[in-house]
Amino acid sequence: MRISSGTLPLIWQVRLLSVCCILLTDFLNHISNAADVPRPKAIVLILADDLGYGDMHCNAPETCRIKTPNMDRLAAGGLRFTDGHSSSGCCSPSRYTLLTGRYHWRTSLQSGIVGVWGKPLIAEGRLTIAELARQQGYRTACFGKWHLGHDWPIDSELKPLFTGFGGQAGGGGQVTEQISAAHRQAWQAVFSQQIPGGPITRGFDEYFGTDVPNWPPYCFIEGDRTVGIPDRLLPPENFVKNQASLQGPALENWSLQAVLPALAERAERFIQQQSAAQQPFFMYLPLTSPHTPLAVNEQWRGRSGLNSDYADLVMETDAVVGRVLDSLEQAGLTEETLVIFTSDNGCASYIGVPPLEAQGHFPSGPYRDYKASVWEGGHRVPFVIRWPQAITSGTVCSQLVQQADVMATLADIFQVSLPSAAGEDSFSLLPLLQGGSTPVRTQAVNTACNGLPSYREGPWKLILQADTAAGTEVQLYNLDQDPREASNLAGSESGRAAAMRQAFEQLIVAGRSTPGPIQKNDVRVTRYPRSPAPAAKAKKNAGTSSRPAEPAKGPQ
């Protein structure tokens, strides 16, 4: 029904006009702010692997015993977020969200990670931050750990020749040492082909790295081909604790220690080449460390003084960050480069956390738990942005932000609008980069690796899991007052918990958390709290947490 202005009381006409003026002013200010920002000549996104919030010294100086001078240098020159998050407490889901600006739990990956020889998680045609930058004339490159799947040319009948060689998560376990001529023949056939579905089909002009450094194939991948033909198994001495995890196809003399330096060298070379060509570039550097394999190079062994390979590898990782920053400086690009540094999730507890804590080093800083967890230590991560042209150096921001927000931030900087089916969960950080204090997002979702979600509204965090001790169906914490998440307030704040639960459900059904048209999730999203499975069914389903969910057929 159309309502003429004459049917509205004068006071409502005035209020409506006032609201319109405010919205128009905010919109014009937003456009003006974006227009005032110069376009960076280079964008560098460095993603550490399993680096805890408290492993970056400037985040928790009182409880960090590892020196990270280059990460600290980066933070001193830019903006450090203290409430920055990955979407998940583990690897593949966080990488998906970072690159697409869309929550991973809207895909088939309802829990777990992309498995060995897994299919691509990013759907063909979905906009990534790399493709967004490429559309704006940037040369795009990815150097490092992908772990988002490929269309490996392995037929079903050949699959048994690529799996079943032993090993276990975290390293160790019994491994096979011998293979047959049939294995070598199959590997020769597969690794001689192109490997579709990887980075160069998802927005990157070039790629060099390892799919997963502690999984096969134990070789580098350049573009869409392996560098060499893996034709043997990795020697069993590589499967000690926290080194290689799964046995499988490998190159002769493959070195776990050589991976990280090779990535650093390629990053340096790319910066030099693009500087010489005077072509703007976007470089995504997903490092393989300090995740396992804890393959510390000799010059870094013992450097932390903590008798910990992990702590030594954090320092070696920090040195790679320094090499990238130095390369930008040498190319004269420091002032005009937007650098983002973060981690895919928290520190993994299995790397030897108790001895570190006994020496006063707490990888999660003041927060609870570690990698894979829904608690803050699982997904609150280092998050720094340096951009001298637009950011005041040495600033700290306590606003809630997500890695998903990189997509909308770049679109804002480029002054382009995202398609309605892209960046559905991405909010622009540009106002915060320019010194603003108004929150850019009022809600966020973070999950454990097993899929258990938490929902944030300001300082309030809802965990959709029962607390049997407190007798509540869900858990609710106030992170401002209780950063260790020790006091469940779901009983005394039952109304707030119910409202947050409903808001989360609406966010699921809408297919997005940003304003815009309703979008479809790829599958029916798993709801929590989950009803306990019958004992027989639970036993049958044990260990299948990373199996893709069925496509959505009904309400999402």
Side-chain angles (χ1 to χ4, degrees), residues 308-320:
S308 164
D309 286 344
Y310 174 79
D312 295 342
L313 191 55
V314 169
M315 294 187 68
E316 186 172 353
T317 303
D318 178 77
V320 173

Side-chain angles (χ1 to χ4, degrees), residues 100-222:
T100 66
R102 181 184 189 232
Y103 286 133
H104 64 274
W105 47 263
R106 300 193 188 280
T107 75
S108 61
L109 195 67
Q110 295 292 288
S111 62
I113 58 178
V114 174
V116 64
W117 314 116
K119 293 290 186 181
L121 183 59
I122 301 176
E124 190 173 3
R126 172 159 286 277
L127 185 68
T128 64
I129 54 177
E131 180 59 33
L132 177 65
R134 184 159 67 176
Q135 290 173 2
Q136 299 301 309
Y138 287 75
R139 175 80 178 173
T140 60
C142 172
F143 305 124
K145 176 179 176 178
W146 182 238
H147 204 175
L148 285 167
H150 294 78
D151 285 315
W152 295 96
I154 303 174
D155 296 335
S156 57
E157 62 269 21
L158 292 180
K159 199 67 176 284
L161 297 173
F162 287 80
T163 58
F165 304 108
Q168 64 186 27
Q174 296 296 314
V175 295
T176 301
E177 298 183 41
Q178 301 294 327
I179 57 172
S180 66
H183 287 99
R184 289 193 174 89
Q185 184 178 1
W187 297 357
Q188 173 72 36
V190 167
F191 297 128
S192 296
Q193 300 179 53
Q194 290 180 307
I195 307 169
I200 64 170
T201 67
R202 299 303 189 266
F204 292 98
D205 292 312
E206 56 184 277
Y207 171 71
F208 175 82
T210 57
D211 188 37
V212 182
N214 52 312
W215 287 0
Y218 292 104
C219 65
F220 287 116
I221 298 173
E222 178 102 44

Side-chain angles (χ1 to χ4, degrees), residues 235-302:
E237 56 266 26
N238 286 279
F239 292 90
V240 296
K241 186 178 181 182
N242 292 328
Q243 296 299 314
S245 300
L246 297 180
Q247 179 65 292
L251 290 179
E252 184 178 10
N253 299 322
W254 178 252
S255 169
L256 301 174
Q257 285 80 7
V259 174
L260 187 59
L263 302 181
E265 291 167 8
R266 287 299 293 260
E268 290 174 323
R269 188 192 314 170
F270 181 72
I271 292 171
Q272 294 163 1
Q273 290 173 340
Q274 294 307 116
S275 174
Q278 296 186 337
Q279 181 181 14
F281 65 88
F282 169 80
M283 182 176 74
Y284 171 47
L285 185 61
L287 301 175
T288 54
S289 61
H291 187 285
T292 53
L294 302 185
V296 184
N297 281 284
E298 190 60 36
Q299 63 267 40
W300 291 99
R301 286 198 170 276

